[in-house]
Structures are given as C-alpha cells and as structure tokens.
C-alpha cells in the first residue's frame, strides 16, 4: 500500500522539512539537493522533533541531543553518543512521483 501525500515537490521548502501524517505515523519530507527524501519525524532516542533539526551534508541533527541521521539510509551517524540497540536508525520511506505529479510514499523499509 502506498500513500499519496497530495503534495508536489515544488510545494516543499528546501530550508524547512515538512512533517506529514501518514498511515505509518508522522514522517517528514526533506529536500536534499533537489531530491525529496522521507524519514520519521521524531528521533528514536527520546522522541525529539527531527523535523525541527538542522540539515547539512545529507543528514539531519536532532535539536534535543544532537543525534544525527543520514537522510538516505536512515542510519545514525557521527561521533555523538554510544550505539543504542534498536534505536540506531530511523524509519524511511521510498519516494516516487504519482501520475498527478504528487509525492507518493512507500511503506517504511524494515
């Protein structure tokens, strides 16, 4: 099952991730070098708002405790903190364009 966001890529602000409600929970859409990427909106550490974090070099940094996640793989990156089993990655959804030119999400990758 896919989810049509009813948003077109040109409706997204490259400077500000956009949280959206999906059948799989709250996800966030990011524009990274003109590509739309989608990961969960809240940090797996303590539910910090990842969508409010800073984005640089293809990664987002949680504003609460500086956990960083790669927008493409969903993996935790960077030197901060020790690994936390089961919380070292975020869910991500594959993004495609639908027939109407809107952003369509696949279910989160396992």
């Amino acid at each position: 099952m896919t989810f049509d966001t009813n948003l077109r890529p040109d409706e997204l602000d490259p400077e500000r991730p956009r949280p959206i409600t999906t059948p799989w929970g709250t996800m966030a859409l990011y524009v990274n070098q003109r590509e739309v990427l989608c990961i969960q909106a809240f940090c797996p550490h303590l539910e910090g708002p990842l969508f409010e974090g800073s984005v640089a070099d293809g990664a987002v940094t949680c504003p609460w405790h500086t956990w960083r996640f790669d927008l493409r793989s969903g993996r935790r990156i960077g030197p901060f903190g020790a690994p936390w089993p089961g919380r070292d990655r975020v869910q991500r959804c594959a993004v495609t364009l639908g027939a109407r030119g809107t952003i369509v999400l696949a279910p989160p990758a396992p």
Side-chain angles (χ1 to χ4, degrees):
M1 163 180 84
T2 59
F3 175 72
D4 190 331
T5 65
N6 290 315
L7 295 169
R8 296 183 187 285
D10 61 359
E11 294 178 81
L12 299 178
D13 180 351
E15 301 295 319
R16 196 169 289 163
R18 182 162 184 165
I20 58 169
T21 302
T22 74
W24 316 291
T26 306
M27 304 298 277
L29 299 173
Y30 294 81
V31 178
N32 183 50
Q33 298 178 355
R34 298 193 327 224
E35 179 183 15
V36 178
L37 301 167
C38 180
I39 65 169
Q40 70 188 55
F42 294 93
C43 184
H45 175 218
L46 292 173
E47 297 296 317
L50 277 177
F51 66 92
E52 292 180 358
S54 59
V55 178
D57 301 323
V60 60
T61 302
C62 180
W64 285 10
H65 299 106
T66 65
W67 281 36
R68 293 186 72 222
F69 296 91
D70 183 274
L71 291 172
R72 287 188 181 285
S73 70
R75 288 181 175 237
R76 185 170 172 212
I77 57 174
F80 303 111
W84 191 340
R87 296 186 183 183
D88 61 346
R89 68 178 42 227
V90 290
Q91 289 186 323
R92 57 192 168 83
C93 296
V95 176
T96 58
L97 286 183
R100 299 180 300 126
T102 56
I103 298 166
V104 176
L105 304 178

Short mmCIF file of all heavy atoms in Angstrom, two decimals, residues 49-109:
data_model
loop_
_atom_site.label_atom_id
_atom_site.label_comp_id
_atom_site.label_asym_id
_atom_site.label_seq_id
_atom_site.Cartn_x
_atom_site.Cartn_y
_atom_site.Cartn_z
N PRO A 49 11.99 16.29 18.08
CA PRO A 49 11.44 16.63 16.76
C PRO A 49 12.52 16.74 15.69
O PRO A 49 13.07 17.82 15.44
CB PRO A 49 10.75 17.97 17.01
CG PRO A 49 11.55 18.59 18.12
CD PRO A 49 12.00 17.44 18.98
N LEU A 50 12.84 15.63 15.04
CA LEU A 50 13.86 15.65 13.99
C LEU A 50 13.55 16.67 12.91
O LEU A 50 14.45 17.32 12.37
CB LEU A 50 13.98 14.28 13.33
CG LEU A 50 14.84 13.23 14.02
CD1 LEU A 50 14.78 11.92 13.26
CD2 LEU A 50 16.26 13.71 14.16
N PHE A 51 12.27 16.84 12.59
CA PHE A 51 11.88 17.77 11.53
C PHE A 51 12.20 19.22 11.88
O PHE A 51 12.17 20.09 11.02
CB PHE A 51 10.39 17.62 11.16
CG PHE A 51 9.45 18.01 12.27
CD1 PHE A 51 8.96 19.29 12.35
CD2 PHE A 51 9.06 17.08 13.22
CE1 PHE A 51 8.09 19.66 13.36
CE2 PHE A 51 8.18 17.43 14.23
CZ PHE A 51 7.70 18.72 14.30
N GLU A 52 12.55 19.50 13.13
CA GLU A 52 12.97 20.84 13.54
C GLU A 52 14.49 20.94 13.64
O GLU A 52 15.02 21.99 13.97
CB GLU A 52 12.35 21.20 14.90
CG GLU A 52 10.86 21.39 14.84
CD GLU A 52 10.25 21.75 16.18
OE1 GLU A 52 10.99 21.81 17.20
OE2 GLU A 52 9.03 21.95 16.23
N GLY A 53 15.18 19.84 13.35
CA GLY A 53 16.63 19.82 13.45
C GLY A 53 17.31 20.46 12.26
O GLY A 53 16.68 20.79 11.26
N SER A 54 18.61 20.62 12.37
CA SER A 54 19.38 21.21 11.28
C SER A 54 19.73 20.13 10.27
O SER A 54 19.95 18.98 10.61
CB SER A 54 20.64 21.88 11.82
OG SER A 54 21.44 20.94 12.49
N VAL A 55 19.76 20.53 9.00
CA VAL A 55 20.07 19.62 7.91
C VAL A 55 21.34 20.12 7.22
O VAL A 55 21.43 21.28 6.84
CB VAL A 55 18.91 19.54 6.89
CG1 VAL A 55 19.28 18.63 5.74
CG2 VAL A 55 17.64 19.07 7.57
N ALA A 56 22.31 19.22 7.08
CA ALA A 56 23.56 19.54 6.40
C ALA A 56 24.19 18.26 5.90
O ALA A 56 24.14 17.23 6.58
CB ALA A 56 24.52 20.27 7.35
N ASP A 57 24.79 18.33 4.74
CA ASP A 57 25.54 17.19 4.17
C ASP A 57 24.71 15.91 4.12
O ASP A 57 25.21 14.82 4.41
CB ASP A 57 26.83 16.95 4.96
CG ASP A 57 27.74 18.16 4.95
OD1 ASP A 57 27.81 18.82 3.90
OD2 ASP A 57 28.38 18.43 5.99
N GLY A 58 23.42 16.02 3.79
CA GLY A 58 22.58 14.85 3.65
C GLY A 58 22.18 14.19 4.94
O GLY A 58 21.76 13.03 4.95
N ALA A 59 22.29 14.91 6.06
CA ALA A 59 21.93 14.35 7.37
C ALA A 59 21.13 15.38 8.17
O ALA A 59 21.26 16.58 7.97
CB ALA A 59 23.17 13.95 8.14
N VAL A 60 20.33 14.88 9.09
CA VAL A 60 19.57 15.75 9.99
C VAL A 60 20.07 15.50 11.41
O VAL A 60 20.37 14.37 11.79
CB VAL A 60 18.04 15.50 9.89
CG1 VAL A 60 17.67 14.07 10.25
CG2 VAL A 60 17.27 16.49 10.74
N THR A 61 20.18 16.59 12.18
CA THR A 61 20.62 16.51 13.57
C THR A 61 19.46 16.84 14.48
O THR A 61 18.83 17.90 14.34
CB THR A 61 21.78 17.49 13.84
OG1 THR A 61 22.86 17.18 12.95
CG2 THR A 61 22.26 17.41 15.27
N CYS A 62 19.16 15.95 15.41
CA CYS A 62 18.07 16.18 16.36
C CYS A 62 18.40 17.39 17.23
O CYS A 62 19.51 17.47 17.77
CB CYS A 62 17.86 14.94 17.22
SG CYS A 62 16.51 15.14 18.41
N PRO A 63 17.46 18.31 17.39
CA PRO A 63 17.74 19.50 18.18
C PRO A 63 17.83 19.24 19.69
O PRO A 63 18.33 20.09 20.42
CB PRO A 63 16.56 20.43 17.86
CG PRO A 63 15.45 19.52 17.49
CD PRO A 63 16.11 18.34 16.80
N TRP A 64 17.40 18.10 20.15
CA TRP A 64 17.43 17.82 21.58
C TRP A 64 18.77 17.30 22.07
O TRP A 64 19.30 17.78 23.06
CB TRP A 64 16.34 16.84 21.97
CG TRP A 64 14.96 17.43 21.99
CD1 TRP A 64 14.56 18.66 21.53
CD2 TRP A 64 13.79 16.80 22.48
NE1 TRP A 64 13.22 18.82 21.71
CE2 TRP A 64 12.71 17.69 22.29
CE3 TRP A 64 13.53 15.56 23.05
CZ2 TRP A 64 11.41 17.39 22.67
CZ3 TRP A 64 12.24 15.26 23.41
CH2 TRP A 64 11.19 16.16 23.24
N HIS A 65 19.34 16.28 21.43
CA HIS A 65 20.56 15.65 21.95
C HIS A 65 21.60 15.40 20.86
O HIS A 65 22.48 14.56 21.04
CB HIS A 65 20.22 14.33 22.65
CG HIS A 65 19.30 14.51 23.81
ND1 HIS A 65 17.98 14.16 23.76
CD2 HIS A 65 19.50 15.05 25.03
CE1 HIS A 65 17.40 14.46 24.91
NE2 HIS A 65 18.30 15.00 25.69
N THR A 66 21.48 16.08 19.75
CA THR A 66 22.43 16.07 18.63
C THR A 66 22.65 14.70 17.97
O THR A 66 23.68 14.49 17.35
CB THR A 66 23.80 16.68 19.01
OG1 THR A 66 24.44 15.89 20.01
CG2 THR A 66 23.64 18.11 19.50
N TRP A 67 21.71 13.79 18.10
CA TRP A 67 21.82 12.55 17.33
C TRP A 67 21.64 12.91 15.87
O TRP A 67 20.75 13.69 15.51
CB TRP A 67 20.75 11.56 17.76
CG TRP A 67 21.05 10.83 19.04
CD1 TRP A 67 21.69 11.33 20.14
CD2 TRP A 67 20.69 9.49 19.35
NE1 TRP A 67 21.75 10.37 21.11
CE2 TRP A 67 21.15 9.23 20.65
CE3 TRP A 67 20.03 8.49 18.65
CZ2 TRP A 67 20.97 8.01 21.28
CZ3 TRP A 67 19.84 7.27 19.28
CH2 TRP A 67 20.32 7.03 20.58
N ARG A 68 22.51 12.35 15.00
CA ARG A 68 22.46 12.64 13.55
C ARG A 68 22.05 11.39 12.79
O ARG A 68 22.49 10.30 13.11
CB ARG A 68 23.82 13.11 13.05
CG ARG A 68 24.24 14.45 13.61
CD ARG A 68 25.53 14.95 12.99
NE ARG A 68 25.24 15.35 11.62
CZ ARG A 68 26.02 15.09 10.58
NH1 ARG A 68 27.15 14.45 10.74
NH2 ARG A 68 25.69 15.50 9.38
N PHE A 69 21.24 11.61 11.74
CA PHE A 69 20.78 10.50 10.91
C PHE A 69 20.94 10.85 9.44
O PHE A 69 20.62 11.96 9.02
CB PHE A 69 19.31 10.19 11.20
CG PHE A 69 19.08 9.70 12.60
CD1 PHE A 69 18.78 10.59 13.62
CD2 PHE A 69 19.21 8.35 12.91
CE1 PHE A 69 18.59 10.15 14.91
CE2 PHE A 69 19.02 7.90 14.20
CZ PHE A 69 18.70 8.80 15.21
N ASP A 70 21.45 9.88 8.70
CA ASP A 70 21.59 10.03 7.26
C ASP A 70 20.20 9.99 6.63
O ASP A 70 19.41 9.09 6.91
CB ASP A 70 22.46 8.89 6.72
CG ASP A 70 22.70 9.02 5.24
OD1 ASP A 70 21.84 8.53 4.47
OD2 ASP A 70 23.72 9.60 4.85
N LEU A 71 19.88 10.96 5.78
CA LEU A 71 18.56 11.03 5.17
C LEU A 71 18.31 9.91 4.16
O LEU A 71 17.17 9.53 3.92
CB LEU A 71 18.35 12.39 4.50
CG LEU A 71 18.24 13.58 5.44
CD1 LEU A 71 18.25 14.88 4.65
CD2 LEU A 71 17.00 13.49 6.31
N ARG A 72 19.34 9.38 3.56
CA ARG A 72 19.18 8.31 2.56
C ARG A 72 19.04 6.92 3.19
O ARG A 72 18.18 6.15 2.83
CB ARG A 72 20.34 8.28 1.59
CG ARG A 72 20.34 9.42 0.63
CD ARG A 72 21.44 9.20 -0.41
NE ARG A 72 21.46 10.29 -1.34
CZ ARG A 72 20.59 10.47 -2.30
NH1 ARG A 72 19.61 9.63 -2.45
NH2 ARG A 72 20.68 11.50 -3.10
N SER A 73 19.90 6.61 4.14
CA SER A 73 19.91 5.27 4.72
C SER A 73 19.09 5.16 6.00
O SER A 73 18.69 4.07 6.39
CB SER A 73 21.34 4.83 5.02
OG SER A 73 21.87 5.59 6.09
N GLY A 74 18.90 6.28 6.69
CA GLY A 74 18.21 6.27 7.97
C GLY A 74 19.11 5.91 9.13
O GLY A 74 18.70 5.93 10.29
N ARG A 75 20.38 5.61 8.85
CA ARG A 75 21.31 5.20 9.90
C ARG A 75 21.82 6.39 10.73
O ARG A 75 22.04 7.47 10.20
CB ARG A 75 22.52 4.49 9.31
CG ARG A 75 22.19 3.13 8.81
CD ARG A 75 23.44 2.47 8.27
NE ARG A 75 23.08 1.13 7.91
CZ ARG A 75 23.68 0.06 8.40
NH1 ARG A 75 24.69 0.20 9.21
NH2 ARG A 75 23.29 -1.14 8.05
N ARG A 76 22.07 6.10 11.98
CA ARG A 76 22.66 7.09 12.87
C ARG A 76 24.13 7.26 12.47
O ARG A 76 24.83 6.28 12.21
CB ARG A 76 22.57 6.62 14.31
CG ARG A 76 23.06 7.66 15.27
CD ARG A 76 22.73 7.25 16.68
NE ARG A 76 23.39 8.19 17.59
CZ ARG A 76 23.84 7.87 18.77
NH1 ARG A 76 23.69 6.65 19.23
NH2 ARG A 76 24.42 8.77 19.52
N ILE A 77 24.59 8.50 12.44
CA ILE A 77 25.97 8.79 12.06
C ILE A 77 26.57 9.78 13.04
O ILE A 77 25.87 10.40 13.82
CB ILE A 77 26.06 9.35 10.62
CG1 ILE A 77 25.20 10.61 10.47
CG2 ILE A 77 25.66 8.31 9.61
CD1 ILE A 77 25.36 11.30 9.13
N GLY A 78 27.87 9.94 12.94
CA GLY A 78 28.56 10.95 13.73
C GLY A 78 29.13 10.42 15.02
O GLY A 78 28.87 9.29 15.43
N PRO A 79 29.91 11.26 15.67
CA PRO A 79 30.66 10.85 16.86
C PRO A 79 29.89 10.93 18.17
O PRO A 79 30.39 10.54 19.19
CB PRO A 79 31.83 11.84 16.87
CG PRO A 79 31.23 13.09 16.30
CD PRO A 79 30.27 12.60 15.23
N PHE A 80 28.67 11.44 18.15
CA PHE A 80 27.97 11.68 19.41
C PHE A 80 27.27 10.44 19.94
O PHE A 80 26.47 9.83 19.27
CB PHE A 80 26.94 12.80 19.25
CG PHE A 80 27.56 14.08 18.76
CD1 PHE A 80 27.28 14.54 17.50
CD2 PHE A 80 28.43 14.78 19.55
CE1 PHE A 80 27.85 15.71 17.04
CE2 PHE A 80 29.01 15.94 19.11
CZ PHE A 80 28.72 16.41 17.85
N GLY A 81 27.55 10.09 21.17
CA GLY A 81 26.83 9.01 21.84
C GLY A 81 27.26 7.62 21.44
O GLY A 81 27.86 7.39 20.41
N ALA A 82 26.94 6.70 22.31
CA ALA A 82 27.22 5.29 22.06
C ALA A 82 26.03 4.66 21.34
O ALA A 82 24.93 5.16 21.43
CB ALA A 82 27.47 4.58 23.39
N PRO A 83 26.26 3.56 20.62
CA PRO A 83 25.14 2.89 19.96
C PRO A 83 24.06 2.50 20.96
O PRO A 83 24.35 2.15 22.10
CB PRO A 83 25.79 1.64 19.35
CG PRO A 83 27.23 1.97 19.26
CD PRO A 83 27.53 2.90 20.39
N TRP A 84 22.84 2.59 20.54
CA TRP A 84 21.70 2.22 21.38
C TRP A 84 20.92 1.20 20.58
O TRP A 84 20.17 1.56 19.68
CB TRP A 84 20.86 3.44 21.67
CG TRP A 84 19.81 3.25 22.72
CD1 TRP A 84 19.28 2.08 23.16
CD2 TRP A 84 19.17 4.29 23.46
NE1 TRP A 84 18.33 2.32 24.12
CE2 TRP A 84 18.24 3.66 24.33
CE3 TRP A 84 19.27 5.66 23.48
CZ2 TRP A 84 17.44 4.39 25.20
CZ3 TRP A 84 18.47 6.37 24.33
CH2 TRP A 84 17.57 5.75 25.19
N PRO A 85 21.10 -0.09 20.88
CA PRO A 85 20.47 -1.14 20.08
C PRO A 85 18.97 -0.89 19.89
O PRO A 85 18.26 -0.57 20.84
CB PRO A 85 20.73 -2.42 20.89
CG PRO A 85 21.97 -2.11 21.67
CD PRO A 85 21.87 -0.64 22.00
N GLY A 86 18.54 -1.04 18.65
CA GLY A 86 17.14 -0.83 18.31
C GLY A 86 16.76 0.63 18.06
O GLY A 86 15.66 0.92 17.62
N ARG A 87 17.69 1.52 18.34
CA ARG A 87 17.41 2.94 18.14
C ARG A 87 18.52 3.63 17.36
O ARG A 87 18.74 4.82 17.50
CB ARG A 87 17.21 3.65 19.48
CG ARG A 87 16.00 3.12 20.21
CD ARG A 87 15.72 3.89 21.44
NE ARG A 87 14.58 3.28 22.11
CZ ARG A 87 14.04 3.75 23.19
NH1 ARG A 87 14.51 4.84 23.73
NH2 ARG A 87 13.02 3.14 23.74
N ASP A 88 19.22 2.86 16.55
CA ASP A 88 20.35 3.43 15.82
C ASP A 88 20.00 3.78 14.39
O ASP A 88 20.85 4.06 13.58
CB ASP A 88 21.54 2.46 15.85
CG ASP A 88 21.23 1.13 15.21
OD1 ASP A 88 20.04 0.84 14.98
OD2 ASP A 88 22.18 0.38 14.94
N ARG A 89 18.70 3.78 14.07
CA ARG A 89 18.26 4.20 12.75
C ARG A 89 16.83 4.70 12.85
O ARG A 89 16.13 4.42 13.81
CB ARG A 89 18.38 3.09 11.72
CG ARG A 89 17.47 1.92 11.91
CD ARG A 89 17.60 0.87 10.81
NE ARG A 89 18.96 0.62 10.45
CZ ARG A 89 19.43 0.56 9.20
NH1 ARG A 89 18.61 0.66 8.18
NH2 ARG A 89 20.69 0.36 8.94
N VAL A 90 16.43 5.45 11.84
CA VAL A 90 15.06 5.94 11.74
C VAL A 90 14.37 5.24 10.57
O VAL A 90 15.02 4.77 9.64
CB VAL A 90 14.99 7.47 11.55
CG1 VAL A 90 15.42 8.20 12.81
CG2 VAL A 90 15.82 7.92 10.36
N GLN A 91 13.05 5.17 10.64
CA GLN A 91 12.30 4.60 9.53
C GLN A 91 12.38 5.57 8.35
O GLN A 91 12.43 6.78 8.54
CB GLN A 91 10.84 4.41 9.90
CG GLN A 91 10.60 3.30 10.88
CD GLN A 91 9.12 3.08 11.08
OE1 GLN A 91 8.33 4.02 11.09
NE2 GLN A 91 8.74 1.83 11.24
N ARG A 92 12.36 5.01 7.15
CA ARG A 92 12.36 5.85 5.96
C ARG A 92 11.42 5.26 4.94
O ARG A 92 11.14 4.06 4.96
CB ARG A 92 13.76 6.00 5.39
CG ARG A 92 14.42 4.71 5.06
CD ARG A 92 15.91 4.89 4.76
NE ARG A 92 16.58 3.62 4.72
CZ ARG A 92 16.60 2.82 3.66
NH1 ARG A 92 16.01 3.17 2.54
NH2 ARG A 92 17.24 1.68 3.70
N CYS A 93 10.92 6.10 4.09
CA CYS A 93 10.00 5.67 3.03
C CYS A 93 10.60 6.03 1.68
O CYS A 93 11.15 7.12 1.52
CB CYS A 93 8.65 6.39 3.15
SG CYS A 93 7.73 6.02 4.64
N ALA A 94 10.47 5.12 0.73
CA ALA A 94 10.87 5.44 -0.64
C ALA A 94 9.87 6.46 -1.19
O ALA A 94 8.67 6.41 -0.90
CB ALA A 94 10.87 4.18 -1.49
N VAL A 95 10.39 7.40 -1.97
CA VAL A 95 9.58 8.49 -2.52
C VAL A 95 9.54 8.38 -4.04
O VAL A 95 10.59 8.22 -4.68
CB VAL A 95 10.18 9.86 -2.12
CG1 VAL A 95 9.41 11.00 -2.76
CG2 VAL A 95 10.24 10.01 -0.60
N THR A 96 8.35 8.45 -4.60
CA THR A 96 8.18 8.49 -6.05
C THR A 96 7.17 9.59 -6.38
O THR A 96 6.53 10.14 -5.49
CB THR A 96 7.66 7.15 -6.62
OG1 THR A 96 6.42 6.84 -5.99
CG2 THR A 96 8.66 6.03 -6.39
N LEU A 97 7.05 9.89 -7.65
CA LEU A 97 6.03 10.83 -8.10
C LEU A 97 4.88 10.04 -8.71
O LEU A 97 5.10 9.14 -9.52
CB LEU A 97 6.59 11.80 -9.13
CG LEU A 97 7.50 12.89 -8.61
CD1 LEU A 97 7.91 13.81 -9.75
CD2 LEU A 97 6.83 13.69 -7.51
N GLY A 98 3.67 10.39 -8.31
CA GLY A 98 2.49 9.74 -8.84
C GLY A 98 2.10 10.31 -10.20
O GLY A 98 2.73 11.26 -10.70
N ALA A 99 1.06 9.77 -10.78
CA ALA A 99 0.60 10.18 -12.10
C ALA A 99 0.19 11.66 -12.14
O ALA A 99 0.31 12.31 -13.17
CB ALA A 99 -0.58 9.31 -12.54
N ARG A 100 -0.23 12.19 -11.00
CA ARG A 100 -0.63 13.60 -10.94
C ARG A 100 0.53 14.53 -10.58
O ARG A 100 0.34 15.72 -10.39
CB ARG A 100 -1.76 13.79 -9.92
CG ARG A 100 -3.01 13.01 -10.25
CD ARG A 100 -4.11 13.21 -9.20
NE ARG A 100 -3.68 12.78 -7.87
CZ ARG A 100 -3.74 13.55 -6.78
NH1 ARG A 100 -4.22 14.77 -6.83
NH2 ARG A 100 -3.32 13.09 -5.61
N GLY A 101 1.73 13.97 -10.47
CA GLY A 101 2.90 14.78 -10.12
C GLY A 101 3.03 15.01 -8.63
O GLY A 101 3.81 15.86 -8.21
N THR A 102 2.28 14.25 -7.83
CA THR A 102 2.35 14.41 -6.38
C THR A 102 3.31 13.38 -5.78
O THR A 102 3.59 12.34 -6.37
CB THR A 102 0.95 14.26 -5.74
OG1 THR A 102 0.40 13.00 -6.12
CG2 THR A 102 0.04 15.41 -6.16
N ILE A 103 3.78 13.67 -4.59
CA ILE A 103 4.72 12.81 -3.88
C ILE A 103 3.98 11.61 -3.31
O ILE A 103 3.00 11.77 -2.58
CB ILE A 103 5.42 13.59 -2.76
CG1 ILE A 103 6.22 14.76 -3.35
CG2 ILE A 103 6.31 12.67 -1.93
CD1 ILE A 103 6.66 15.77 -2.31
N VAL A 104 4.46 10.41 -3.66
CA VAL A 104 3.87 9.17 -3.18
C VAL A 104 4.92 8.42 -2.36
O VAL A 104 6.07 8.30 -2.78
CB VAL A 104 3.38 8.30 -4.37
CG1 VAL A 104 2.86 6.96 -3.88
CG2 VAL A 104 2.31 9.03 -5.17
N LEU A 105 4.50 7.94 -1.19
CA LEU A 105 5.41 7.23 -0.29
C LEU A 105 5.10 5.74 -0.26
O LEU A 105 3.93 5.35 -0.25
CB LEU A 105 5.27 7.78 1.14
CG LEU A 105 5.47 9.28 1.32
CD1 LEU A 105 5.24 9.65 2.79
CD2 LEU A 105 6.84 9.72 0.85
N ALA A 106 6.14 4.94 -0.23
CA ALA A 106 6.01 3.51 0.00
C ALA A 106 6.05 3.30 1.51
O ALA A 106 6.55 4.15 2.25
CB ALA A 106 7.15 2.76 -0.66
N PRO A 107 5.56 2.16 2.00
CA PRO A 107 5.66 1.90 3.44
C PRO A 107 7.11 1.93 3.91
O PRO A 107 8.02 1.68 3.12
CB PRO A 107 5.08 0.48 3.60
CG PRO A 107 4.24 0.28 2.38
CD PRO A 107 4.91 1.08 1.28
N PRO A 108 7.33 2.25 5.18
CA PRO A 108 8.71 2.30 5.69
C PRO A 108 9.44 0.99 5.44
O PRO A 108 8.86 -0.09 5.56
CB PRO A 108 8.54 2.55 7.19
CG PRO A 108 7.20 3.17 7.32
CD PRO A 108 6.36 2.58 6.22
N ALA A 109 10.71 1.12 5.10
CA ALA A 109 11.56 -0.05 4.90
C ALA A 109 11.78 -0.74 6.23
O ALA A 109 11.92 -0.07 7.26
CB ALA A 109 12.89 0.37 4.29
#
